[in-house]
Amino acid sequence: MAANRVRPWMLVSAAWIGPAVLGAVNEVAQRRLWGGERAGLGQILFASGDWLIYAFLTPLVFAVARRWPIARPHLARRALLHAAISLVFCAAWAGTGTLLKVALLGVPPEGWLLPFVSWTFITLPFGVSVYLAVVGIEHAIRYFVEARDREIQMARLSEQLSGARFAALQAQLNPHFLFNTLNTIAVLVRDGDRAGASRMVEQLSDVLRRTLNRGRANEVPLDEELELVRQYLAIEQARFPDRLRADIDADPALGAAAIPSFAVQHLVENAIRHGIAGSAAGGRVRVSASRDGGSLVVAVSDDGPGFDVTALPERHGLANTRDRLQALYGRAGALTLESRPAGGTVATLRVPYHEAAPDIEDGG
């Protein structure tokens, strides 16, 4: 816990102790080497305190660098801003040093203004260099921390995607699902509906192939996700032709919109398993996709008996989807569940609208 309280600016400030000690040693050694008057305590303290002024200015430079980082899209403007602040930094150093000198050694015969002005101009190149070096250190530390955080986030997303892929595959390889699907195929063959049996075999193999071949991209185009959902629904409708009705309503213009891989598929499976399957009369599953300003909104609804959404256990099956939304979009992504008064449940997925990058590993 103690290590967590150490901040980078503390380490950089502490690093100035080294030059401060060397400054004091140099003051004593120079006077002895050249046979001058022995250095007094005030002169030794000033020689080291001069460097320690940087230690007190370092947290301010870190704060300024964090507030106005030198980065696109304001690269030139920020560079000029820091050039101007570096001059203020030099003046602050010279002013504080002058006050320290007056406190330790007294007011010189020429007064304090002339030493302040001469100090400022003589040390200007060195002071500007020190300021820019501290800004560079702050940027380097921040980029390192951000890169490490991105790696951790990507590892977490990869793990969550694997979980979603496993859940989808597990649902499709569920013995009950496979047994009933194969039994439906057998019935179609026995009834002489070879075309229907062949179509169902193709749909089953296509669902499994799409699930297994989907690449490691966390997002896929909406069209690709909905195609997987259509084939899955087609199999379920073939199994329960009199109990399950389904429709998908999505604007074709949204086909390239990015959606977390397997997210809609998982919601549809839940709607059938926990919504329609519990109703003796069956029901309807509806998937809709629309754009709401800068967001893509996908809703999966059913008209089953519904359930108390507040009674969900803490780590229910949708937790993985919510974790992925948080990791991918932060507060801009959301999954809400609503039990409708007339019966049924609506799961609404909201993500920032943007187009998905092509997945070169997709064997689709």
Side-chain angles (χ1 to χ4, degrees):
M1 293 296 288
N4 292 335
R5 290 195 291 269
V6 176
R7 297 290 183 265
W9 64 264
M10 296 180 181
L11 299 177
V12 177
S13 292
W16 288 110
I17 294 176
V21 173
L22 292 177
V25 173
N26 180 67
E27 180 69 19
V28 175
Q30 286 290 335
R31 288 176 180 270
R32 289 194 173 183
L33 182 65
W34 298 106
E37 183 181 349
R38 188 175 181 178
L41 179 60
Q43 291 164 328
I44 295 174
L45 290 177
F46 176 71
S48 60
D50 177 23
W51 289 100
L52 291 178
I53 295 173
Y54 285 119
F56 292 101
L57 292 176
T58 292
L60 298 178
V61 178
F62 263 66
V64 170
R66 280 197 304 271
R67 177 66 180 82
W68 295 290
I70 303 176
R72 297 179 186 278
H74 308 295
L75 188 62
R77 191 183 306 171
R78 295 288 172 80
L80 289 174
L81 175 65
H82 280 281
I85 295 176
S86 69
L87 300 180
V88 177
F89 172 83
C90 291
W93 178 39
T96 309
T98 302
L99 292 175
L100 181 65
K101 189 173 185 179
V102 168
L104 293 174
L105 305 177
V107 180
E110 66 273 22
W112 61 269
L113 182 59
L114 183 59
F116 165 71
V117 174
S118 61
W119 190 341
T120 302
F121 281 96
I122 291 172
T123 61
L124 190 62
F126 180 71
V128 170
S129 300
V130 169
Y131 174 85
L132 295 179
V134 175
V135 170
I137 291 172
E138 191 279 337
H139 279 58
I141 293 173
R142 181 154 43 83
Y143 291 150
F144 171 78
V145 172
E146 289 175 353
R148 185 194 60 184
D149 290 346
R150 280 196 296 271
E151 288 182 2
I152 294 173
Q153 185 183 45
M154 289 306 298
R156 186 179 299 122
L157 281 170
S158 178
E159 181 182 353
Q160 291 166 347
L161 176 61
S162 297
R165 186 202 301 269
F166 177 75
L169 194 58
Q170 189 179 40
Q172 289 148 16
L173 293 179
N174 181 287
H176 186 69
F177 173 81
L178 275 182
F179 173 80
N180 285 290
T181 302
L182 294 175
N183 187 55
T184 302
I185 294 172
V187 170
L188 291 173
V189 172
R190 187 182 59 202
D191 293 345
D193 186 358
R194 294 185 177 181
S198 177
R199 186 169 57 252
M200 196 160 182
V201 169
E202 290 175 359
Q203 289 168 337
L204 177 61
S205 64
D206 208 31
V207 166
L208 296 175
R209 179 177 60 82
R210 284 178 177 275
T211 304
L212 290 169
N213 287 348
R214 187 168 284 187
R216 290 185 296 177
N218 281 290
E219 296 176 323
V220 296
L222 180 63
D223 267 351
E224 184 178 327
E225 182 76 2
L226 293 184
E227 185 57 27
L228 178 64
V229 170
R230 283 192 185 92
Q231 291 178 324
Y232 176 77
L233 285 172
I235 294 173
E236 294 286 16
Q237 285 181 299
R239 291 173 54 199
F240 309 109
D242 300 327
R243 294 186 56 203
L244 175 62
R245 299 175 299 282
D247 60 84
I248 297 177
D249 179 18
D251 185 346
L254 301 176
I259 192 79
S261 186
F262 298 111
V264 183
Q265 164 74 10
H266 189 206
L267 296 180
V268 170
E269 289 171 2
N270 278 345
I272 294 175
R273 185 182 306 168
H274 304 297
I276 305 302
S279 172
R284 176 184 295 277
V285 172
R286 185 171 188 273
V287 181
S288 65
S290 60
R291 184 171 180 176
D292 180 14
S295 298
L296 173 68
V297 180
V298 179
V300 178
S301 61
D302 66 78
D303 55 1
F307 65 98
D308 182 4
V309 296
T310 63
L312 285 173
E314 185 176 352
R315 296 300 297 175
H316 54 83
L318 298 175
N320 182 289
T321 303
R322 284 207 169 100
D323 289 345
R324 293 173 65 202
L325 291 175
Q326 174 65 32
L328 282 169
Y329 314 114
R331 300 178 64 178
L335 171 62
T336 58
L337 290 178
E338 181 184 0
S339 188
R340 299 185 298 192
T345 306
V346 181
T348 304
L349 194 65
R350 179 181 290 270
V351 300
Y353 179 87
H354 62 281
E355 294 191 353
D359 184 1
I360 59 175
E361 295 186 24
D362 191 350

